[in-house]
Amino acid sequence: MKEDSEVVNAELLTTNKLSELACLALYLMYEKKQGKKSFWYPFIRELDRQRGRGQLAVESPLLWSESELAYLDGSHTKAEVLGREEGIKREYNELDTVWFMAGSLFQQYPFDIPTEAFPFEIFKQAFVAVQSCVVHLQKVTLARRFALVPLGPPLLAYKSNCKAMLTATDTSVQLVVDCPYKAGDPIVVWCGPQPNSRLLLNYGFVDEDNPYDRILIEASLNTEDPQYQEKRMVAQRNGKLSVQTFLVHVGREKEAILEMLPYLRLGCISNAADMHSVISSQGPTCLLSPCMERAVLDQLVNYFEARLVAYPTTLIEDEDMLADCNLDPKKRVAVQLVKLEKKMIHACLQATYDFIHELPDDTISPCPAPFMPQLKI
């Protein structure tokens, strides 16, 4: 792009009018209108052929139909997709403002203002095409962590656990491989520390051997608790929020439960002197009575069981579907995603049962705890 374009682009970003991806999507649409006259025509032609499809020839869920998004029922990823689409819609609604603010930037394009020249669906497709070409660079500063590689997705296969990676020099992005390749061999590249939900959203694939996969659990202090404000301050002093997100990493589900327990126990405490001790405690032991500890653990059991019930299929049914070689590609990646999520939730459930069995008497009934923190399904 020209130097003056970069200056205006930076101004748009600093005023929070458009994200970097939206700015690039806007340029992409205008350049595509120019057809073969555009300097970027060879890259745009490749982006059109690719259409945001990843290595499994699956488009980002941002381009799926409503019936196809139903494949993600029960998964928090579906809400993430819908939220991302709403964000793209908000940026689309800002395009005309940007066009008028930076009129000189678009003088080279003899077309109408953005929302008259391009319907929302076209903008979303351009956004997804740009998004699918963003790659993580290694051994660079945070400001240079991402780059656009238009030919990356169709020529590379991304993996989460390989050592080949894309790196940056002063003038270019280079692929550094970790083994010799023969002509025709597929090139596999590390895709960065991204969970499967992000890989599906950005690139249209799921990695079943992803060591960076995770699910999120949102807990919040009960606002109806008479001691809510006091507990909120105690939580903040211990690095937690009144609405706290916990990350459950694959293979580390037990550690995630241990991190959550002090926060959940805080809701059961009525003695202000014990609040700090409870939330700052480490390990499975605490100041709660056995029946109160059972109430906390039972809450987790009920939560994980409710999350599993929210999925329309079971793990066994997922495995049966994946064994079908004729399964629709979009449904295949969706089933892969929800299957891996369920495995993490099952592991969390098992870890919680293990803590119950470690109680002095695991048959004890839970104490009433009306103001326990709330877990979002």
Side-chain angles (χ1 to χ4, degrees), residues 21-76:
L21 291 184
C23 285
L24 290 168
L26 180 57
Y27 274 112
L28 176 60
M29 291 190 301
Y30 273 121
E31 288 290 339
K32 184 177 179 180
K33 277 260 187 179
Q34 298 200 96
K36 294 183 178 180
K37 296 179 181 179
S38 171
F39 170 81
W40 303 104
Y41 173 74
F43 297 97
I44 294 173
R45 181 178 57 188
E46 181 58 33
L47 286 173
D48 277 347
R49 186 189 68 81
Q50 179 184 327
R51 290 199 75 241
R53 290 188 290 264
Q55 59 204 52
L56 299 178
V58 175
E59 297 171 337
S60 164
L62 288 167
L63 300 179
W64 291 10
S65 67
E66 185 176 346
S67 61
E68 290 167 338
L69 277 178
Y71 300 152
L72 296 172
D73 283 351
S75 171
H76 289 185

Short mmCIF file of all heavy atoms in Angstrom, two decimals, residues 21-76:
data_model
loop_
_atom_site.label_atom_id
_atom_site.label_comp_id
_atom_site.label_asym_id
_atom_site.label_seq_id
_atom_site.Cartn_x
_atom_site.Cartn_y
_atom_site.Cartn_z
N LEU A 21 -8.11 -5.86 10.64
CA LEU A 21 -8.72 -6.80 9.69
C LEU A 21 -9.80 -6.10 8.87
O LEU A 21 -9.92 -6.34 7.67
CB LEU A 21 -9.30 -8.00 10.43
CG LEU A 21 -8.31 -8.97 11.07
CD1 LEU A 21 -9.06 -10.15 11.68
CD2 LEU A 21 -7.29 -9.46 10.07
N ALA A 22 -10.59 -5.26 9.53
CA ALA A 22 -11.66 -4.57 8.80
C ALA A 22 -11.09 -3.59 7.78
O ALA A 22 -11.62 -3.46 6.67
CB ALA A 22 -12.57 -3.85 9.79
N CYS A 23 -10.01 -2.89 8.14
CA CYS A 23 -9.36 -1.98 7.18
C CYS A 23 -8.87 -2.74 5.96
O CYS A 23 -9.08 -2.33 4.81
CB CYS A 23 -8.19 -1.26 7.85
SG CYS A 23 -8.66 0.04 9.01
N LEU A 24 -8.24 -3.88 6.21
CA LEU A 24 -7.73 -4.69 5.10
C LEU A 24 -8.88 -5.26 4.27
O LEU A 24 -8.78 -5.38 3.04
CB LEU A 24 -6.83 -5.79 5.64
CG LEU A 24 -5.48 -5.31 6.20
CD1 LEU A 24 -4.80 -6.43 6.97
CD2 LEU A 24 -4.58 -4.81 5.08
N ALA A 25 -9.97 -5.64 4.94
CA ALA A 25 -11.13 -6.16 4.21
C ALA A 25 -11.71 -5.07 3.30
O ALA A 25 -12.12 -5.35 2.16
CB ALA A 25 -12.19 -6.65 5.19
N LEU A 26 -11.73 -3.83 3.78
CA LEU A 26 -12.23 -2.71 2.97
C LEU A 26 -11.35 -2.51 1.74
O LEU A 26 -11.85 -2.36 0.62
CB LEU A 26 -12.28 -1.44 3.81
CG LEU A 26 -12.79 -0.17 3.13
CD1 LEU A 26 -14.19 -0.38 2.57
CD2 LEU A 26 -12.78 1.00 4.11
N TYR A 27 -10.05 -2.53 1.94
CA TYR A 27 -9.14 -2.42 0.80
C TYR A 27 -9.34 -3.57 -0.18
O TYR A 27 -9.35 -3.39 -1.40
CB TYR A 27 -7.69 -2.41 1.28
CG TYR A 27 -7.17 -1.06 1.66
CD1 TYR A 27 -6.88 -0.75 2.99
CD2 TYR A 27 -6.97 -0.07 0.70
CE1 TYR A 27 -6.40 0.50 3.34
CE2 TYR A 27 -6.49 1.18 1.04
CZ TYR A 27 -6.20 1.46 2.37
OH TYR A 27 -5.74 2.69 2.72
N LEU A 28 -9.50 -4.75 0.38
CA LEU A 28 -9.66 -5.93 -0.47
C LEU A 28 -10.88 -5.80 -1.36
O LEU A 28 -10.83 -6.12 -2.56
CB LEU A 28 -9.77 -7.19 0.40
CG LEU A 28 -10.04 -8.51 -0.31
CD1 LEU A 28 -8.92 -8.83 -1.30
CD2 LEU A 28 -10.20 -9.65 0.71
N MET A 29 -11.98 -5.33 -0.81
CA MET A 29 -13.20 -5.19 -1.61
C MET A 29 -13.02 -4.17 -2.74
O MET A 29 -13.41 -4.42 -3.88
CB MET A 29 -14.36 -4.78 -0.70
CG MET A 29 -14.80 -5.86 0.26
SD MET A 29 -16.34 -5.46 1.13
CE MET A 29 -15.91 -3.94 1.96
N TYR A 30 -12.42 -3.03 -2.41
CA TYR A 30 -12.21 -2.01 -3.45
C TYR A 30 -11.24 -2.50 -4.52
O TYR A 30 -11.43 -2.27 -5.71
CB TYR A 30 -11.70 -0.72 -2.81
CG TYR A 30 -12.80 0.20 -2.34
CD1 TYR A 30 -12.88 0.57 -1.00
CD2 TYR A 30 -13.75 0.68 -3.21
CE1 TYR A 30 -13.88 1.41 -0.55
CE2 TYR A 30 -14.76 1.53 -2.78
CZ TYR A 30 -14.82 1.89 -1.45
OH TYR A 30 -15.83 2.72 -1.01
N GLU A 31 -10.17 -3.18 -4.09
CA GLU A 31 -9.20 -3.68 -5.06
C GLU A 31 -9.82 -4.75 -5.95
O GLU A 31 -9.55 -4.81 -7.15
CB GLU A 31 -7.97 -4.24 -4.34
CG GLU A 31 -7.07 -3.18 -3.71
CD GLU A 31 -6.34 -2.35 -4.76
OE1 GLU A 31 -6.20 -2.82 -5.90
OE2 GLU A 31 -5.90 -1.23 -4.42
N LYS A 32 -10.68 -5.58 -5.37
CA LYS A 32 -11.32 -6.63 -6.17
C LYS A 32 -12.22 -6.02 -7.23
O LYS A 32 -12.35 -6.55 -8.34
CB LYS A 32 -12.12 -7.56 -5.26
CG LYS A 32 -12.73 -8.74 -6.01
CD LYS A 32 -13.46 -9.69 -5.08
CE LYS A 32 -14.09 -10.84 -5.86
NZ LYS A 32 -14.80 -11.79 -5.00
N LYS A 33 -12.83 -4.87 -6.93
CA LYS A 33 -13.69 -4.19 -7.91
C LYS A 33 -12.89 -3.78 -9.15
O LYS A 33 -13.46 -3.65 -10.24
CB LYS A 33 -14.31 -2.95 -7.26
CG LYS A 33 -15.55 -3.22 -6.44
CD LYS A 33 -16.79 -2.88 -7.26
CE LYS A 33 -18.05 -2.97 -6.42
NZ LYS A 33 -19.25 -2.62 -7.20
N GLN A 34 -11.59 -3.59 -8.99
CA GLN A 34 -10.76 -3.16 -10.11
C GLN A 34 -10.37 -4.31 -11.02
O GLN A 34 -9.79 -4.09 -12.08
CB GLN A 34 -9.50 -2.44 -9.60
CG GLN A 34 -9.79 -1.19 -8.81
CD GLN A 34 -8.59 -0.28 -8.73
OE1 GLN A 34 -8.45 0.65 -9.51
NE2 GLN A 34 -7.71 -0.59 -7.80
N GLY A 35 -10.63 -5.53 -10.58
CA GLY A 35 -10.33 -6.70 -11.41
C GLY A 35 -8.85 -6.81 -11.72
O GLY A 35 -8.00 -6.60 -10.85
N LYS A 36 -8.52 -7.11 -12.97
CA LYS A 36 -7.13 -7.34 -13.36
C LYS A 36 -6.29 -6.07 -13.32
O LYS A 36 -5.06 -6.14 -13.38
CB LYS A 36 -7.07 -7.95 -14.75
CG LYS A 36 -7.66 -9.35 -14.82
CD LYS A 36 -7.51 -9.95 -16.22
CE LYS A 36 -8.07 -11.37 -16.26
NZ LYS A 36 -7.92 -11.98 -17.61
N LYS A 37 -6.91 -4.90 -13.21
CA LYS A 37 -6.16 -3.66 -13.10
C LYS A 37 -5.45 -3.52 -11.75
O LYS A 37 -4.51 -2.75 -11.61
CB LYS A 37 -7.08 -2.46 -13.30
CG LYS A 37 -7.70 -2.36 -14.68
CD LYS A 37 -8.62 -1.16 -14.76
CE LYS A 37 -9.27 -1.06 -16.13
NZ LYS A 37 -10.19 0.12 -16.21
N SER A 38 -5.92 -4.28 -10.79
CA SER A 38 -5.35 -4.18 -9.45
C SER A 38 -3.99 -4.85 -9.39
O SER A 38 -3.78 -5.95 -9.91
CB SER A 38 -6.28 -4.83 -8.42
OG SER A 38 -5.66 -4.94 -7.16
N PHE A 39 -3.05 -4.20 -8.70
CA PHE A 39 -1.74 -4.79 -8.47
C PHE A 39 -1.86 -6.11 -7.70
O PHE A 39 -1.06 -7.03 -7.86
CB PHE A 39 -0.85 -3.80 -7.70
CG PHE A 39 0.44 -4.39 -7.21
CD1 PHE A 39 1.53 -4.51 -8.06
CD2 PHE A 39 0.56 -4.83 -5.90
CE1 PHE A 39 2.73 -5.06 -7.61
CE2 PHE A 39 1.75 -5.39 -5.44
CZ PHE A 39 2.84 -5.49 -6.30
N TRP A 40 -2.89 -6.18 -6.84
CA TRP A 40 -3.07 -7.34 -5.96
C TRP A 40 -3.91 -8.44 -6.61
O TRP A 40 -4.26 -9.40 -5.95
CB TRP A 40 -3.75 -6.89 -4.66
CG TRP A 40 -3.00 -5.83 -3.94
CD1 TRP A 40 -3.30 -4.50 -3.89
CD2 TRP A 40 -1.80 -6.00 -3.18
NE1 TRP A 40 -2.38 -3.82 -3.15
CE2 TRP A 40 -1.44 -4.72 -2.69
CE3 TRP A 40 -1.00 -7.09 -2.87
CZ2 TRP A 40 -0.32 -4.51 -1.92
CZ3 TRP A 40 0.13 -6.89 -2.08
CH2 TRP A 40 0.47 -5.62 -1.61
N TYR A 41 -4.21 -8.34 -7.89
CA TYR A 41 -5.11 -9.28 -8.55
C TYR A 41 -4.69 -10.74 -8.36
O TYR A 41 -5.53 -11.58 -8.04
CB TYR A 41 -5.23 -8.96 -10.05
CG TYR A 41 -6.01 -9.99 -10.82
CD1 TYR A 41 -7.40 -10.06 -10.70
CD2 TYR A 41 -5.37 -10.90 -11.66
CE1 TYR A 41 -8.13 -11.02 -11.39
CE2 TYR A 41 -6.09 -11.86 -12.35
CZ TYR A 41 -7.47 -11.92 -12.21
OH TYR A 41 -8.18 -12.87 -12.89
N PRO A 42 -3.39 -11.11 -8.54
CA PRO A 42 -3.02 -12.53 -8.36
C PRO A 42 -3.33 -13.04 -6.96
O PRO A 42 -3.77 -14.19 -6.78
CB PRO A 42 -1.51 -12.54 -8.64
CG PRO A 42 -1.28 -11.33 -9.48
CD PRO A 42 -2.24 -10.30 -8.97
N PHE A 43 -3.14 -12.19 -5.94
CA PHE A 43 -3.43 -12.61 -4.57
C PHE A 43 -4.94 -12.68 -4.33
O PHE A 43 -5.43 -13.60 -3.67
CB PHE A 43 -2.78 -11.63 -3.59
CG PHE A 43 -1.29 -11.58 -3.66
CD1 PHE A 43 -0.65 -10.60 -4.40
CD2 PHE A 43 -0.52 -12.52 -3.00
CE1 PHE A 43 0.73 -10.55 -4.48
CE2 PHE A 43 0.85 -12.48 -3.07
CZ PHE A 43 1.49 -11.50 -3.81
N ILE A 44 -5.67 -11.71 -4.88
CA ILE A 44 -7.12 -11.71 -4.72
C ILE A 44 -7.74 -12.93 -5.39
O ILE A 44 -8.66 -13.55 -4.88
CB ILE A 44 -7.72 -10.41 -5.28
CG1 ILE A 44 -7.25 -9.23 -4.42
CG2 ILE A 44 -9.24 -10.47 -5.32
CD1 ILE A 44 -7.64 -7.87 -4.98
N ARG A 45 -7.22 -13.28 -6.56
CA ARG A 45 -7.71 -14.47 -7.27
C ARG A 45 -7.50 -15.72 -6.40
O ARG A 45 -8.37 -16.60 -6.32
CB ARG A 45 -6.97 -14.62 -8.60
CG ARG A 45 -7.43 -15.82 -9.43
CD ARG A 45 -6.67 -15.86 -10.75
NE ARG A 45 -5.23 -15.90 -10.51
CZ ARG A 45 -4.31 -15.78 -11.47
NH1 ARG A 45 -4.70 -15.59 -12.73
NH2 ARG A 45 -3.04 -15.83 -11.19
N GLU A 46 -6.35 -15.78 -5.72
CA GLU A 46 -6.07 -16.92 -4.84
C GLU A 46 -6.99 -16.90 -3.63
O GLU A 46 -7.50 -17.95 -3.20
CB GLU A 46 -4.61 -16.90 -4.39
CG GLU A 46 -4.22 -18.05 -3.48
CD GLU A 46 -4.46 -19.40 -4.12
OE1 GLU A 46 -4.32 -19.52 -5.36
OE2 GLU A 46 -4.80 -20.35 -3.40
N LEU A 47 -7.25 -15.72 -3.08
CA LEU A 47 -8.17 -15.61 -1.95
C LEU A 47 -9.58 -16.04 -2.35
O LEU A 47 -10.29 -16.68 -1.57
CB LEU A 47 -8.19 -14.18 -1.42
CG LEU A 47 -6.96 -13.72 -0.63
CD1 LEU A 47 -7.06 -12.24 -0.33
CD2 LEU A 47 -6.82 -14.52 0.65
N ASP A 48 -9.99 -15.69 -3.57
CA ASP A 48 -11.30 -16.11 -4.06
C ASP A 48 -11.37 -17.63 -4.18
O ASP A 48 -12.39 -18.25 -3.86
CB ASP A 48 -11.59 -15.47 -5.42
CG ASP A 48 -12.14 -14.06 -5.28
OD1 ASP A 48 -12.51 -13.69 -4.16
OD2 ASP A 48 -12.19 -13.34 -6.28
N ARG A 49 -10.31 -18.21 -4.70
CA ARG A 49 -10.29 -19.67 -4.84
C ARG A 49 -10.34 -20.34 -3.47
O ARG A 49 -11.02 -21.35 -3.27
CB ARG A 49 -9.02 -20.10 -5.58
CG ARG A 49 -8.99 -21.59 -5.91
CD ARG A 49 -7.62 -22.01 -6.43
NE ARG A 49 -6.61 -21.94 -5.39
CZ ARG A 49 -6.45 -22.90 -4.47
NH1 ARG A 49 -7.24 -23.96 -4.46
NH2 ARG A 49 -5.52 -22.79 -3.57
N GLN A 50 -9.67 -19.73 -2.54
CA GLN A 50 -9.56 -20.29 -1.20
C GLN A 50 -10.85 -20.08 -0.39
O GLN A 50 -11.26 -20.94 0.39
CB GLN A 50 -8.39 -19.59 -0.53
CG GLN A 50 -8.08 -19.97 0.87
CD GLN A 50 -6.95 -19.10 1.37
OE1 GLN A 50 -6.06 -18.70 0.62
NE2 GLN A 50 -6.99 -18.77 2.62
N ARG A 51 -11.46 -18.89 -0.52
CA ARG A 51 -12.70 -18.51 0.16
C ARG A 51 -12.67 -18.79 1.65
O ARG A 51 -13.63 -19.25 2.25
CB ARG A 51 -13.91 -19.21 -0.46
CG ARG A 51 -14.28 -18.73 -1.84
CD ARG A 51 -15.70 -19.09 -2.22
NE ARG A 51 -16.66 -18.24 -1.53
CZ ARG A 51 -17.58 -18.69 -0.70
NH1 ARG A 51 -17.67 -19.97 -0.41
NH2 ARG A 51 -18.44 -17.87 -0.13
N GLY A 52 -11.53 -18.50 2.29
CA GLY A 52 -11.45 -18.67 3.72
C GLY A 52 -11.43 -20.11 4.16
O GLY A 52 -11.57 -20.40 5.35
N ARG A 53 -11.25 -21.04 3.22
CA ARG A 53 -11.24 -22.46 3.59
C ARG A 53 -9.87 -22.86 4.12
O ARG A 53 -8.84 -22.44 3.61
CB ARG A 53 -11.60 -23.33 2.38
CG ARG A 53 -13.05 -23.21 1.96
CD ARG A 53 -13.38 -24.24 0.89
NE ARG A 53 -12.72 -23.93 -0.36
CZ ARG A 53 -13.27 -23.27 -1.36
NH1 ARG A 53 -14.51 -22.82 -1.24
NH2 ARG A 53 -12.63 -23.05 -2.48
N GLY A 54 -9.86 -23.68 5.14
CA GLY A 54 -8.63 -24.16 5.72
C GLY A 54 -8.15 -25.43 5.04
O GLY A 54 -8.59 -25.79 3.96
N GLN A 55 -7.26 -26.13 5.75
CA GLN A 55 -6.63 -27.30 5.15
C GLN A 55 -7.59 -28.46 4.95
O GLN A 55 -7.30 -29.41 4.23
CB GLN A 55 -5.46 -27.73 6.03
CG GLN A 55 -5.85 -28.07 7.46
CD GLN A 55 -4.68 -27.94 8.42
OE1 GLN A 55 -4.01 -26.92 8.47
NE2 GLN A 55 -4.40 -29.00 9.15
N LEU A 56 -8.78 -28.39 5.57
CA LEU A 56 -9.79 -29.43 5.37
C LEU A 56 -10.88 -28.97 4.41
O LEU A 56 -11.94 -29.57 4.34
CB LEU A 56 -10.41 -29.81 6.72
CG LEU A 56 -9.44 -30.38 7.76
CD1 LEU A 56 -10.18 -30.67 9.07
CD2 LEU A 56 -8.77 -31.65 7.24
N ALA A 57 -10.59 -27.88 3.67
CA ALA A 57 -11.54 -27.32 2.70
C ALA A 57 -12.83 -26.86 3.36
O ALA A 57 -13.90 -26.89 2.75
CB ALA A 57 -11.83 -28.33 1.58
N VAL A 58 -12.75 -26.44 4.62
CA VAL A 58 -13.91 -25.97 5.37
C VAL A 58 -13.78 -24.47 5.62
O VAL A 58 -12.74 -24.00 6.07
CB VAL A 58 -14.04 -26.71 6.72
CG1 VAL A 58 -15.18 -26.12 7.54
CG2 VAL A 58 -14.29 -28.20 6.48
N GLU A 59 -14.84 -23.74 5.33
CA GLU A 59 -14.85 -22.31 5.59
C GLU A 59 -14.98 -22.05 7.09
O GLU A 59 -15.45 -22.88 7.85
CB GLU A 59 -16.02 -21.65 4.87
CG GLU A 59 -15.98 -21.75 3.36
CD GLU A 59 -17.27 -21.27 2.73
OE1 GLU A 59 -18.31 -21.28 3.41
OE2 GLU A 59 -17.22 -20.90 1.55
N SER A 60 -14.58 -20.85 7.49
CA SER A 60 -14.80 -20.42 8.87
C SER A 60 -16.28 -20.50 9.19
O SER A 60 -17.14 -20.22 8.34
CB SER A 60 -14.31 -18.98 9.03
OG SER A 60 -14.82 -18.41 10.22
N PRO A 61 -16.67 -20.85 10.42
CA PRO A 61 -18.08 -20.88 10.81
C PRO A 61 -18.77 -19.53 10.64
O PRO A 61 -20.00 -19.47 10.64
CB PRO A 61 -18.06 -21.30 12.28
CG PRO A 61 -16.72 -21.86 12.53
CD PRO A 61 -15.79 -21.34 11.50
N LEU A 62 -18.00 -18.47 10.47
CA LEU A 62 -18.60 -17.16 10.21
C LEU A 62 -19.38 -17.16 8.90
O LEU A 62 -20.25 -16.31 8.70
CB LEU A 62 -17.52 -16.08 10.17
CG LEU A 62 -16.90 -15.71 11.52
CD1 LEU A 62 -15.64 -14.89 11.32
CD2 LEU A 62 -17.90 -14.96 12.40
N LEU A 63 -19.07 -18.10 8.02
CA LEU A 63 -19.75 -18.19 6.73
C LEU A 63 -20.72 -19.37 6.67
O LEU A 63 -21.26 -19.66 5.61
CB LEU A 63 -18.72 -18.31 5.60
CG LEU A 63 -17.72 -17.15 5.48
CD1 LEU A 63 -16.74 -17.40 4.34
CD2 LEU A 63 -18.44 -15.83 5.27
N TRP A 64 -20.95 -20.03 7.79
CA TRP A 64 -21.88 -21.16 7.81
C TRP A 64 -23.31 -20.66 7.87
O TRP A 64 -23.60 -19.57 8.37
CB TRP A 64 -21.61 -22.05 9.02
CG TRP A 64 -20.31 -22.80 8.96
CD1 TRP A 64 -19.29 -22.62 8.06
CD2 TRP A 64 -19.88 -23.81 9.86
NE1 TRP A 64 -18.25 -23.47 8.34
CE2 TRP A 64 -18.58 -24.22 9.43
CE3 TRP A 64 -20.45 -24.42 10.97
CZ2 TRP A 64 -17.86 -25.21 10.10
CZ3 TRP A 64 -19.73 -25.41 11.63
CH2 TRP A 64 -18.45 -25.79 11.19
N SER A 65 -24.23 -21.49 7.39
CA SER A 65 -25.65 -21.19 7.50
C SER A 65 -26.12 -21.45 8.93
O SER A 65 -25.41 -22.06 9.74
CB SER A 65 -26.45 -22.06 6.53
OG SER A 65 -26.38 -23.43 6.92
N GLU A 66 -27.34 -21.02 9.23
CA GLU A 66 -27.89 -21.23 10.56
C GLU A 66 -28.00 -22.71 10.89
O GLU A 66 -27.71 -23.14 12.01
CB GLU A 66 -29.26 -20.56 10.67
CG GLU A 66 -29.88 -20.62 12.06
CD GLU A 66 -31.19 -19.87 12.16
OE1 GLU A 66 -31.49 -19.09 11.23
OE2 GLU A 66 -31.92 -20.06 13.15
N SER A 67 -28.39 -23.52 9.91
CA SER A 67 -28.51 -24.95 10.15
C SER A 67 -27.14 -25.59 10.36
O SER A 67 -27.00 -26.55 11.13
CB SER A 67 -29.24 -25.62 8.98
OG SER A 67 -28.53 -25.44 7.77
N GLU A 68 -26.13 -25.07 9.69
CA GLU A 68 -24.77 -25.60 9.87
C GLU A 68 -24.20 -25.19 11.22
O GLU A 68 -23.48 -25.96 11.87
CB GLU A 68 -23.87 -25.13 8.73
CG GLU A 68 -24.22 -25.78 7.39
CD GLU A 68 -23.55 -25.10 6.21
OE1 GLU A 68 -23.15 -23.92 6.32
OE2 GLU A 68 -23.44 -25.74 5.15
N LEU A 69 -24.52 -23.99 11.69
CA LEU A 69 -24.07 -23.56 13.02
C LEU A 69 -24.66 -24.44 14.12
O LEU A 69 -24.10 -24.55 15.21
CB LEU A 69 -24.43 -22.10 13.26
CG LEU A 69 -23.49 -21.04 12.69
CD1 LEU A 69 -24.01 -19.64 12.99
CD2 LEU A 69 -22.07 -21.21 13.25
N ALA A 70 -25.80 -25.07 13.82
CA ALA A 70 -26.42 -25.97 14.80
C ALA A 70 -25.51 -27.15 15.13
O ALA A 70 -25.69 -27.80 16.16
CB ALA A 70 -27.77 -26.46 14.30
N TYR A 71 -24.53 -27.44 14.26
CA TYR A 71 -23.56 -28.49 14.57
C TYR A 71 -22.80 -28.17 15.84
O TYR A 71 -22.25 -29.07 16.49
CB TYR A 71 -22.55 -28.66 13.42
CG TYR A 71 -23.13 -29.02 12.07
CD1 TYR A 71 -22.48 -28.64 10.89
CD2 TYR A 71 -24.30 -29.76 11.96
CE1 TYR A 71 -22.98 -28.98 9.64
CE2 TYR A 71 -24.82 -30.10 10.72
CZ TYR A 71 -24.15 -29.70 9.56
OH TYR A 71 -24.65 -30.03 8.33
N LEU A 72 -22.73 -26.89 16.20
CA LEU A 72 -21.97 -26.45 17.37
C LEU A 72 -22.86 -26.26 18.60
O LEU A 72 -22.40 -25.71 19.60
CB LEU A 72 -21.25 -25.13 17.06
CG LEU A 72 -20.18 -25.19 15.97
CD1 LEU A 72 -19.69 -23.79 15.62
CD2 LEU A 72 -19.01 -26.07 16.39
N ASP A 73 -24.08 -26.72 18.55
CA ASP A 73 -24.98 -26.60 19.70
C ASP A 73 -24.33 -27.22 20.94
O ASP A 73 -23.75 -28.31 20.88
CB ASP A 73 -26.32 -27.29 19.43
CG ASP A 73 -27.23 -26.45 18.53
OD1 ASP A 73 -26.89 -25.29 18.28
OD2 ASP A 73 -28.27 -26.98 18.09
N GLY A 74 -24.45 -26.51 22.05
CA GLY A 74 -23.86 -26.98 23.30
C GLY A 74 -22.47 -26.45 23.55
O GLY A 74 -22.00 -26.44 24.69
N SER A 75 -21.80 -26.01 22.50
CA SER A 75 -20.44 -25.50 22.62
C SER A 75 -20.44 -23.99 22.79
O SER A 75 -21.21 -23.28 22.13
CB SER A 75 -19.62 -25.87 21.37
OG SER A 75 -18.36 -25.21 21.38
N HIS A 76 -19.58 -23.48 23.66
CA HIS A 76 -19.43 -22.04 23.81
C HIS A 76 -18.88 -21.40 22.53
O HIS A 76 -18.98 -20.18 22.35
CB HIS A 76 -18.50 -21.72 24.98
CG HIS A 76 -19.12 -22.01 26.31
ND1 HIS A 76 -18.50 -21.71 27.51
CD2 HIS A 76 -20.32 -22.56 26.66
CE1 HIS A 76 -19.27 -22.06 28.52
NE2 HIS A 76 -20.38 -22.58 28.02
#
